[in-house]
């Protein structure tokens, strides 16, 4: 046996050596042979035919290099590949077809390539057939109205194919249906297509089932998307209340800012009720702070006219969602409990969620918020891809247009249609745990909640919008006062000051010209939405120590800690820059800033005659800092 194996190995080595010799011979005879492996070389059109002939070479590295060179002449390569394809050898055929498909996807010879693909559906060469089946929808632009679509040809080949078929061929057919996403593929996918595949292992069977599930979900989604088109549904002024029983409103902020967010809510006249609640998220498996929760029933009593537009006026929040509990409580034992505790999708979830969707108050709520079909995406980091597509499929089957006549949905059945459409989703369903049970956080994807749309430019270490808004809320700027940001960056703090008190006079300084350019652009964007808002803001490329404008009654900043001030260390930054800034602040002036080294800044403030009034610990995304509000006493004897 060992001798036979050795002889077989020698035989294969001999074949490989012969092929390698042939490869070098072909390459050596090819025009521009010395340039094929040069990534900077763009072949002239005259060299395209010769390079296409090299796609018959058995050397994979050579073929890969040739393909990359041909991609730079894709139009010519597609045209000439179409000419030589009928006479090409088997090894070359699939490679030529791949190149032609690439050219067609770029807009070259789409109709001719589509016709060639259709002819490849019935060839005997498995690799060429698989390549053709997975080509995508290239037949849509056929100039002949009588010509059947590419999907029709694919389905015809499916019907003619001997069954059961090889697993790789079966998967090529299903991937082709997935890419084409043509509704005529639905009957095949809605049946039991996996029965037509030869399956050798349980793992392969699961793989086939997962692929069929995904293909069905995508084809069904594209069918509804074609039928309905895109919609721009205005929901800004629509009330969130009343909510279905058990629901609530979750507002997210940076951990540590909950009290400021609640204060902002109260000052906007929305509601004085607040409950700070922990939230467990399966992707991190820990309790997260930074969420403020309102029970839907409490809101109905205290804020009966709550709308998305009013929520959009809250500047400290960075997340907003509706809490939809599904009654799945974590359990220490049993398979269901393990799934729920780990954040994985429990097997009972599709049935539970469908039951919840059918509650009259839930249907009425969604129909009121969005008058047309509801488009959604699911965010569940701990679900597997097959679980995710299985859930999508279950929802779309339950709420498909064919169900419009179902008595469960009533007369306006399109209002109850749910469409998985990640590209244009109205809602993102986030699977997480809250108050001891699992459910979904419904996060609306609405333009009205994009409160910082003026931030069209940024620089490294730019302030996060809600953090800048929190600093401004702590500062409480008053009309007509002079405000200075010594390290203004892209200008977010001063622009938020202008929004809070439009009549202020503000100066922003920064050493980095790019930062000042970004601040100018952001100011111009804000001015387009609020004319006159930034007329009293001046941006200066200047070291903070050289500031010589009006004495600031309010200094507000999020120091860059050396990243934009070109200092060699944080220690040098505090020793040389910060004291100069503190000396520029007159007696009676206020300082609001963020510091990660509160012990150092406490000493600096004390040495410069400041009284520390407020401290707020805040998580800036993995590390904690302290927001400080300080007042420079009038009895300080220090020189300014």
């Amino acid at each position: 046996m060992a001798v036979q194996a050795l002889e077989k190995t020698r035989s294969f080595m001999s074949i490989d050596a012969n092929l390698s010799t042939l490869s070098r011979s072909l390459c050596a005879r090819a025009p521009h042979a010395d340039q094929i492996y040069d990534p900077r070389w763009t072949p002239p059109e005259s060299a395209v035919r010769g390079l296409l002939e090299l796609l018959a070479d058995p050397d994979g590295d050579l073929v890969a290099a040739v393909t990359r060179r041909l991609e730079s002449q894709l139009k010519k390569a597609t045209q000439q590949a179409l000419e030589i394809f009928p006479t090409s050898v088997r090894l070359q055929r699939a490679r030529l077809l791949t190149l032609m498909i690439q050219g067609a996807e770029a807009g070259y010879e789409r109709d001719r390539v589509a016709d060639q693909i259709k002819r490849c559906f019935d060839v005997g060469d498995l690799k060429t057939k698989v390549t053709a089946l997975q080509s995508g929808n290239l037949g849509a632009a056929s100039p002949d109205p009588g010509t059947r679509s590419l999907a029709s040809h694919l389905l015809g080949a499916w019907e003619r194919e001997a069954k059961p078929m090889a697993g790789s061929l079966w998967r090529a057919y299903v991937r082709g249906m997935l890419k084409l996403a043509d509704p005529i593929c639905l009957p095949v996918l809605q049946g039991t297509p996996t029965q037509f595949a030869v399956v050798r292992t349980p793992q392969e069977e699961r793989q086939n089932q997962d692929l069929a599930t995904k293909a069905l979900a995508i084809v069904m989604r594209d069918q509804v998307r074609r039928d309905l088109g895109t919609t721009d549904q205005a929901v800004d002024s629509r009330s969130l209340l009343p909510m279905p029983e058990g629901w609530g409103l979750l507002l997210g902020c940076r951990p540590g800012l909950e009290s400021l967010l609640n204060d902002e809510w109260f000052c906007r006249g929305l509601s004085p009720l607040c409950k700070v609640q922990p939230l467990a998220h399966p992707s991190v498996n820990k309790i997260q702070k930074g969420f403020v929760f309102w029970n839907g029933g409490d809101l109905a009593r205290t804020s009966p006219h709550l709308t998305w537009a009013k929520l959009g006026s809250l500047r400290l929040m960075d997340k907003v969602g509706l809490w939809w509990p599904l009654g799945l409580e974590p359990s220490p034992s049993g398979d269901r409990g393990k799934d729920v505790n780990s954040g994985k999708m429990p097997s009972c979830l599709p049935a539970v969620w469908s039951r919840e969707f059918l509650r009259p108050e839930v249907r009425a709520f969604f129909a009121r918020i969005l008058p047309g079909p509801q488009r959604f995406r699911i965010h569940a980091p701990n679900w597997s891809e097959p679980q995710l597509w299985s859930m999508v499929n279950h929802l779309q089957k339950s709420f498909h247009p064919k169900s419009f006549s179902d008595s469960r949905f009533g007369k306006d059945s399109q209002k109850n249609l749910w469409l998985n459409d990640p590209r244009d989703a109205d809602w993102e369903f986030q699977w997480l745990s809250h108050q001891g049970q699992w459910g979904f956080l419904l996060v609306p994807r609405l333009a009205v909640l994009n409160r910082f749309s003026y931030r069209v430019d940024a620089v490294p270490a730019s302030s996060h919008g809600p953090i800048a808004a929190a600093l401004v809320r702590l500062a409480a700027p008053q009309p007509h006062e002079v405000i200075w940001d010594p390290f203004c960056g892209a200008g977010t703090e001063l622009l938020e000051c202008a929004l809070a008190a439009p009549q202020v006079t503000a100066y922003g300084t920064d050493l980095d010209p790019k930062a000042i350019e970004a601040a100018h652009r952001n100011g111009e964007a804000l001015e387009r939405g609020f004319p006159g808002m930034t007329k009293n803001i001046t941006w200066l490329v200047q070291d903070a120590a050289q500031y010589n404008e009006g004495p600031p009654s309010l200094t507000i900043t999020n120091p860059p800690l050396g990243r934009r001030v070109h200092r060699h260390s944080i220690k040098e930054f505090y020793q040389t820059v910060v004291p100069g800034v503190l000396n520029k602040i007159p007696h009676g002036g206020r300082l609001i800033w963020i510091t990660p080294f509160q012990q150092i800044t406490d000493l600096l403030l004390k040495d410069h005659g400041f009284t520390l009034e407020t401290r707020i610990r805040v998580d800036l995304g993995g590390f904690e800092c302290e927001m400080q509000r300080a007042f420079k006493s009038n009895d300080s004897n220090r020189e300014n």
Side-chain angles (χ1 to χ4, degrees):
M1 292 291 292
V3 172
Q4 290 177 350
L6 181 60
E7 289 298 327
K8 197 171 187 179
T9 302
R10 287 174 177 170
S11 175
F12 281 128
M13 289 175 63
S14 175
I15 293 172
D16 288 343
N18 291 336
L19 289 175
S20 180
T21 302
L22 174 63
S23 172
R24 288 193 295 269
S25 175
L26 283 171
C27 186
R29 293 199 307 269
H32 311 284
D34 56 333
Q35 296 171 299
I36 289 174
Y37 290 96
D38 183 357
R40 297 167 297 180
W41 180 58
T42 298
E45 290 189 359
S46 59
V48 169
R49 177 64 67 97
L51 292 175
L52 289 172
E53 296 294 344
L54 288 178
L55 293 180
D57 196 279
D59 185 347
D61 292 338
L62 172 63
V63 169
V66 169
T67 302
R68 286 193 292 269
R69 302 295 85 77
L70 287 170
E71 287 171 355
S72 61
Q73 287 283 4
L74 195 54
K75 181 178 180 179
K76 188 68 173 179
T78 303
Q79 293 169 343
Q80 295 202 1
L82 282 164
E83 294 175 9
I84 67 174
F85 184 82
T87 58
S88 59
V89 298
R90 188 175 65 84
L91 189 61
Q92 184 185 22
R93 198 172 296 130
R95 296 165 179 174
L96 287 172
L97 187 59
T98 300
L99 189 66
M100 290 190 293
I101 291 169
Q102 193 175 347
E105 289 174 346
Y108 306 129
E109 306 291 343
R110 283 181 61 93
D111 303 320
R112 292 178 63 195
V113 173
D115 290 338
Q116 189 63 67
I117 289 171
K118 294 170 189 175
R119 288 192 286 271
C120 290
F121 287 160
D122 293 310
V123 299
D125 176 18
L126 180 61
K127 191 169 184 179
T128 302
K129 180 183 286 191
V130 166
T131 302
L133 289 171
Q134 300 178 139
S135 59
N137 190 10
L138 301 178
S142 177
D144 181 6
T147 302
R148 293 183 300 166
S149 69
L150 198 57
S152 298
H153 281 75
L154 185 145
L155 288 179
W158 167 273
E159 294 297 331
R160 294 188 297 272
E161 197 72 53
K163 300 180 182 65
M165 62 187 81
S168 59
L169 181 58
W170 180 91
R171 286 187 288 275
Y173 270 107
V174 177
R175 288 194 188 101
M177 296 179 197
L178 184 155
K179 289 188 176 185
L180 289 166
D182 195 301
I184 66 173
C185 299
L186 276 176
V188 172
L189 296 172
Q190 286 174 328
T192 54
T194 52
Q195 67 179 312
F196 302 119
V198 175
V199 177
R200 293 183 175 83
T201 64
Q203 182 180 2
E204 188 177 8
E205 185 176 8
R206 286 194 300 271
Q207 181 185 0
N208 290 349
Q209 185 59 57
D210 293 343
L211 178 59
T213 299
K214 179 178 180 179
L216 175 59
I218 289 178
V219 174
M220 192 177 290
R221 177 188 70 195
D222 280 38
Q223 179 199 21
V224 180
R225 187 185 278 168
R226 285 189 183 111
D227 292 344
L228 299 177
T230 58
T231 58
D232 184 13
Q233 305 188 65
V235 299
D236 301 358
S237 60
R238 297 182 183 273
S239 176
L240 283 86
L241 304 170
M243 293 183 189
E245 183 180 356
W247 285 33
L249 175 67
L250 276 170
L251 299 184
C253 61
R254 289 300 176 99
L257 298 181
E258 299 90 350
S259 59
L260 278 179
L261 176 57
N262 186 46
D263 178 61
E264 184 184 22
W265 174 283
F266 178 74
C267 291
R268 301 279 182 184
L270 296 175
S271 170
L273 296 176
C274 171
K275 297 179 181 178
V276 177
Q277 299 284 352
L279 194 72
H281 195 290
S283 63
V284 292
N285 293 313
K286 67 177 182 180
I287 299 298
Q288 293 182 331
K289 298 178 182 178
F291 285 86
V292 183
F293 175 75
W294 283 268
N295 179 274
D298 293 339
L299 286 176
R301 290 189 297 272
T302 60
S303 308
H305 304 296
L306 182 62
T307 65
W308 290 119
K310 288 183 178 179
L311 278 181
S313 67
L314 298 173
R315 306 197 70 75
L316 268 66
M317 71 173 184
D318 56 11
K319 304 179 187 71
V320 60
L322 304 178
W323 170 240
W324 184 355
L326 296 179
L328 297 173
E329 298 181 2
S331 169
S333 61
D335 291 339
R336 171 180 165 181
K338 290 179 182 178
D339 285 345
V340 172
N341 283 332
S342 66
K344 295 179 180 178
M345 188 185 86
S347 58
C348 62
L349 179 59
V352 171
W353 202 8
S354 294
R355 186 176 67 243
E356 282 291 307
F357 264 115
L358 293 175
R359 286 168 53 192
E361 56 183 325
V362 172
R363 297 204 313 271
F365 173 80
F366 284 116
R368 185 180 72 249
I369 296 294
L370 289 176
Q374 314 274 340
R375 300 168 186 263
F376 74 95
R377 68 188 303 268
I378 298 176
H379 177 74
N382 281 25
W383 292 9
S384 66
E385 185 182 16
Q387 286 178 321
L388 184 62
W389 285 111
S390 174
M391 190 68 197
V392 167
N393 244 344
H394 185 88
L395 287 179
Q396 293 193 154
K397 284 180 181 178
S398 300
F399 305 99
H400 194 261
K402 290 183 179 179
S403 302
F404 283 172
S405 60
D406 195 314
S407 60
R408 297 176 299 170
F409 296 103
K411 295 180 180 179
D412 298 327
S413 51
Q414 276 212 22
K415 293 182 179 180
N416 297 283
L417 170 63
W418 283 86
L419 170 64
N420 173 242
D421 193 352
R423 186 180 61 196
D424 297 311
D426 303 306
W427 304 96
E428 179 175 271
F429 290 170
Q430 297 183 0
W431 174 246
L432 44 78
S433 171
H434 176 62
Q435 293 183 319
Q437 61 178 314
W438 286 86
F440 282 101
L441 184 66
L442 275 64
V443 179
R445 303 177 75 182
L446 305 172
V448 69
L449 299 177
N450 183 16
R451 296 139 300 143
F452 303 98
S453 57
Y454 67 81
R455 299 184 72 220
V456 296
D457 204 353
V459 292
S462 288
S463 292
H464 185 53
I467 292 293
L471 285 171
V472 172
R473 182 143 202 92
L474 197 60
Q478 302 300 312
H480 307 296
E481 72 175 324
V482 177
I483 303 176
W484 176 39
D485 185 345
F487 317 107
C488 69
T492 310
E493 279 79 13
L494 292 186
L495 295 175
E496 286 294 308
C497 283
L499 285 169
Q503 297 175 343
V504 300
T505 299
Y507 298 94
T509 59
D510 202 291
L511 278 175
D512 187 356
K514 292 183 179 179
I516 296 300
E517 290 175 7
H520 270 293
R521 284 191 285 271
N522 291 337
E524 290 167 357
L526 181 63
E527 189 73 18
R528 286 192 290 272
F530 301 91
M533 190 68 68
T534 63
K535 63 180 181 181
N536 294 327
I537 300 180
T538 303
W539 308 105
L540 302 168
V541 180
Q542 188 180 71
D543 193 311
Q546 305 301 319
Y547 175 77
N548 197 28
E549 305 298 328
S553 55
L554 168 62
T555 301
I556 180 171
T557 192
N558 183 358
L561 303 179
R563 280 177 283 186
R564 292 197 310 271
V565 292
H566 307 297
R567 299 295 190 262
H568 296 295
S569 67
I570 298 297
K571 183 177 180 181
E572 184 181 354
F573 173 79
Y574 279 102
Q575 288 174 338
T576 60
V577 178
V578 172
V581 170
L582 299 180
N583 284 331
K584 293 287 183 180
I585 301 174
H587 300 304
R590 311 187 314 282
L591 170 67
I592 289 82
W593 66 356
I594 295 178
T595 171
F597 306 113
Q598 62 273 17
Q599 293 180 342
I600 297 176
T601 52
D602 284 357
L603 292 174
L604 282 169
L605 292 173
K606 184 178 179 180
D607 290 345
H608 288 79
F610 284 85
T611 301
L612 197 55
E613 297 178 322
T614 306
R615 300 174 181 269
I616 298 177
R617 297 289 296 178
V618 58
D619 187 339
L620 294 187
F623 64 97
E624 284 198 344
C625 292
E626 190 170 272
M627 285 187 180
Q628 295 181 339
R629 174 188 167 112
F631 174 77
K632 194 166 191 178
S633 306
N634 285 319
D635 58 357
S636 174
N637 294 321
R638 294 187 175 273
E639 294 290 333
N640 287 327

